[in-house]
Structures are given as C-alpha cells and as structure tokens.
Amino acid sequence: MERQLFDADQDAFRETVRAFCDQEIVPHHSSWEEAGIVPRSLWESAGAAGLLGFMMPEEYGGGGARDFRFNAVLIEELTRVRASGVGFTIHTDINSAYLLDYATDEQKKRWLPAFCSGETITAIAMTEPGAGSDLQGIRTTARRDGDHYVLNGQKTFISNGILADLVIVVAKTDPEAGAQGISLFVVERGMPGFERGRNLDKIGLKAQDTAELFFHDVRVPAENLLGEEGKGFVYLMEKLPQERLTIAVVAAAACENMLDETLRYVKDRKAFGRPIGSFQNSRFVLAELATETQIARVFVDRCIQELNAGTLTVAEAAMAKWWTTELQKKVVDRCLQLHGGYGFMTEYPIAKAYLDTRIQTIYGGTTEIMKEIIGRTMGI
C-alpha cells in the first residue's frame, strides 16, 4: 500500500538523512556499540547537515519546519541502518517540543543556536530509582532560595546522560501539592553539584549512553525554570503523546525492516533442497506478520497526521505506543525463529534487533500503563 504521508520536501530530506546515515553512521556504529557511546563529533556533523534543528525557527539557526513528518523521516532512516545507539530523537522529537513551547525568548536565544548546531546535546530526566511511570512519585526537589532554586535528587536510565550539556529535570517545587507541585528546570553542564554516575550497561541499544544523574545542592538560576512553576506535570502530559508516537514510529519502521531482511534470508537459505521460505509454515508466519505490520503502518501514519493537526489524543498515542511495540516484539521473535541458529549469532542483524527491541514496551510508559490510560479515557 503506497504511503500518502510525505511530500517532496520530506522526500528530499530523506535523501539527505539517508546519505548522512550511510556515510557517517554505518561505518562506525559497531565501534560505538563497543565503546557504549557515540562521539560528540557525530552530533556536530548532524547539526551541520541540518538534522538536529529542522523544527527550530530560522532565527536560531533552525530549518523553520515544525512538521512531525520530518521527525518521522529521521527516525525511519536511523532505524533502517539499525542506528539504535544514536540519541538524536531524544533531542529532536522530545526536548525540542519542550524548548519550543515553554522556553522564554531569552532562553531560546541562549540555548537554541547550539541545539541546532549540535554543539549542545540535550537530555530529559524524569525517571528515578523509585519512580518510573508514576511521575507523581518523584522525590527530586527544587527549593526556591532568592534568585536560584536549590536542586537535590537522583535520576536514572537517562538517555544522552553522559553527553548531555542541557538536561530538562523534573522536580518537586511543592512536595505537598501533588501534581500541581512539579516543575521543570534546565540544568547545564558544569553547574556545581551536578554529577553523572556510570554509563549503564544495557542488553541492547549499546551505543546509546544511558546514565545516572545526581544533584547535590545544585543552585539553578531562576531564569532556568522552564515554563511556569507548578506547571511541570501539565507540560509532561502535553508532550508525552509525541514521545510515545516517536516510539511507535520506531516500532513500525523496525517491523518493516526486520520483515525485509527475513524475506531475503528465507529466499536464499535452503533446507531439504529448497528455500525455507517456500514451506507453508514460513509463508503463513510471514503473511501474518506482513499484514499486522501494514495495519501498524497505516495507524501510525494517521497518528502523525493527527499530531501535526493538533488533534492526537492521549489515548490514541497510548494505543499506537503499546500495540506497535508489542508487535515489534512479536515480529522480531518470529523472524529470529525463521533464521534458525544463525538468528542467535550477534553478527546477524536480527540478533541485534532482538536485543534492541526489548526496551520498546518499557520506556515512554509501559504497555500496562498505556492500557490503563486508554481504559480511563473509556470511563472504566
């Protein structure tokens, strides 16, 4: 089924992204996985190619194209080359929305030019050792003290945590006010008391630096408050649908790529004198996966249109996130099975995909939380 989502501008952008991925990422990604981190030079190269600030206003060095179709192109091309360890989407799909919608003009002048160029790398710190999907359960606090806020707490599982120069930190400014007592702060590299822990060792996404962050009496200037005090939870609820759609875009693209690779494999690999794809079981498995992947693609593309129109609901984003990521797990498992013993060898792309896939149903809100969100919107 031909996609109707993109126009000539996104097609041209895809050519740029594809060339960048093939030249700047593919030859080096395996070494970055061994190192557990990508070099800062990659970010600067991506900024120079226009891949990081395409949604930002031109006055700050951006492309002036706030259209999630461009985000989708970047996601799909990174997924195509299995660049699971490149943290661009944290920067372009998640943090860009917070900075565009809640930063003051003064903050934008300070932060956005380097955001676009790749000189400044960003992260967002929500999760804590004792609080994941339940954001109201965070314990990090920010106490007002004159012209500063004094920040104390700990965050974990923070993507881009090692490389990040700006971190959007979720903290409680009024611990007694529940959701109304949460605020967002931008903590900058080098602020006294801001420390990074180890680069966490994960089963997948090996090149993506993921860190623990610690805040010990960090004096954050009041001008680094993002948006209004006490509105942080509202801001998170407004932006989490876009984050969840980003994950769904990854999932749909991953399903398509895994199917393509597996089709090539089963056509070439022979057993009992004929290609293993010619056996009825193989055909039936692949037919089922192809059908469900096509359904996922159509729904995700529709959600992208709804996001651009400002009509994507929390429930629809949750539906896209949980269903496509659970499908991704199913597809990678069945495709690995069709690879037989070779699927268990890490030199085969399907084995890497198997490891990288597992986090998809967890971060951005677990499948169980997504179903709870949908159920609540149904009045049950």
Side-chain angles (χ1 to χ4, degrees):
M1 188 178 294
E2 184 177 352
R3 298 174 73 181
Q4 304 296 321
L5 182 64
F6 303 115
D7 62 25
D9 289 337
Q10 286 87 52
D11 291 340
F13 184 62
R14 188 182 296 277
E15 291 182 9
T16 298
V17 178
R18 180 163 294 191
F20 181 89
C21 289
D22 290 342
Q23 295 168 18
E24 303 292 338
I25 295 178
V26 172
H28 313 293
H29 196 267
S30 60
S31 66
W32 299 339
E33 288 190 309
E34 292 178 8
I37 198 167
V38 304
R40 294 186 69 90
S41 59
L42 176 70
W43 286 80
E44 294 167 359
S45 297
L51 306 191
L52 301 181
F54 53 83
M55 78 300 296
M56 295 301 185
E58 293 181 9
E59 62 188 288
Y60 303 117
R66 191 173 185 183
D67 179 338
F68 197 78
R69 291 179 297 174
F70 290 98
N71 300 68
V73 167
L74 179 60
I75 295 167
E76 290 172 4
E77 289 303 310
L78 289 171
T79 304
R80 177 185 66 85
V81 298
R82 297 177 294 279
S84 52
V86 177
F88 292 165
T89 56
I90 303 296
H91 192 79
T92 58
D93 300 348
I94 299 173
N95 292 340
S96 64
Y98 286 94
L99 295 175
L100 275 169
D101 289 343
Y102 308 131
T104 65
D105 289 341
E106 184 276 330
Q107 290 172 333
K108 289 176 181 178
K109 290 177 183 177
R110 272 197 287 149
W111 297 328
L112 295 193
F115 178 104
C116 296
S117 69
E119 296 171 86
T120 289
I121 299 170
T122 65
I124 185 164
M126 302 184 201
T127 303
E128 299 182 0
S133 297
D134 179 16
L135 290 174
Q136 294 189 56
I138 64 168
R139 300 179 64 181
T140 298
T141 60
R143 175 180 54 83
R144 185 69 185 248
D145 182 26
D147 294 334
H148 291 77
Y149 288 85
V150 180
L151 186 67
N152 281 283
Q154 178 182 351
K155 300 291 182 178
T156 194
F157 309 144
I158 308 306
S159 300
N160 293 348
I162 298 295
L163 287 173
D165 305 290
L166 293 181
V167 183
I168 299 173
V169 179
V170 182
K172 285 189 174 179
T173 42
D174 185 352
E176 307 302 320
Q180 286 71 46
I182 293 177
S183 304
L184 305 183
F185 297 89
V186 176
V187 176
E188 302 181 50
R189 177 184 290 276
M191 286 184 171
F194 171 32
E195 300 174 2
R196 302 163 207 264
R198 59 199 174 98
N199 191 354
L200 300 172
D201 187 16
K202 310 178 296 295
I203 65 170
L205 307 185
K206 287 290 190 177
Q208 170 68 74
D209 62 300
T210 306
E212 302 169 308
L213 304 180
F214 302 92
F215 308 95
H216 304 288
D217 291 328
V218 181
R219 294 186 64 80
V220 182
E223 56 264 30
N224 279 28
L225 173 69
L226 189 60
E228 297 180 38
E229 183 176 315
K231 292 288 186 66
F233 191 78
V234 173
Y235 299 153
L236 293 168
M237 293 304 102
E238 289 176 349
K239 298 309 175 190
L240 277 171
Q242 180 165 317
E243 178 180 348
R244 289 164 181 161
L245 180 57
T246 292
I247 297 170
V249 174
V250 172
C255 288
E256 291 169 340
N257 292 337
M258 291 185 292
L259 271 174
D260 288 345
E261 288 186 359
T262 303
L263 275 171
R264 287 193 293 270
Y265 180 83
V266 300
K267 289 176 181 179
D268 292 337
R269 175 71 174 171
K270 289 183 171 59
F272 304 102
R274 66 189 207 188
I276 61 175
S278 66
F279 291 97
Q280 185 185 66
N281 177 71
S282 300
R283 292 200 306 271
F284 278 18
V285 167
L286 291 168
E288 177 182 335
L289 298 181
T291 301
E292 291 182 287
T293 295
Q294 182 65 61
I295 292 168
R297 164 56 59 213
V298 172
F299 184 60
V300 168
D301 281 2
R302 176 59 183 271
C303 286
I304 293 171
Q305 293 174 315
E306 295 292 332
L307 180 69
N308 274 348
T311 55
L312 180 69
T313 68
V314 171
E316 288 166 344
M319 291 175 183
K321 199 273 180 186
W322 89 255
W323 198 83
T324 59
T325 56
E326 291 290 345
L327 176 64
Q328 185 181 352
K329 283 170 53 181
K330 175 181 177 179
V331 170
V332 74
D333 184 71
R334 301 284 178 83
C335 287
L336 190 149
Q337 185 72 19
L338 288 172
H339 278 74
Y342 289 104
F344 201 63
M345 301 297 109
T346 55
E347 64 191 87
Y348 276 72
I350 197 66
K352 179 181 180 303
Y354 188 87
L355 296 173
D356 288 344
T357 290
R358 190 59 189 87
I359 189 60
Q360 284 278 88
T361 59
I362 298 172
Y363 59 14
T366 64
T367 292
E368 293 75 19
I369 293 297
M370 296 302 97
K371 292 179 180 180
E372 181 68 19
I373 289 170
I374 297 163
R376 288 179 182 178
T377 64
M378 298 169 67
I380 52 177

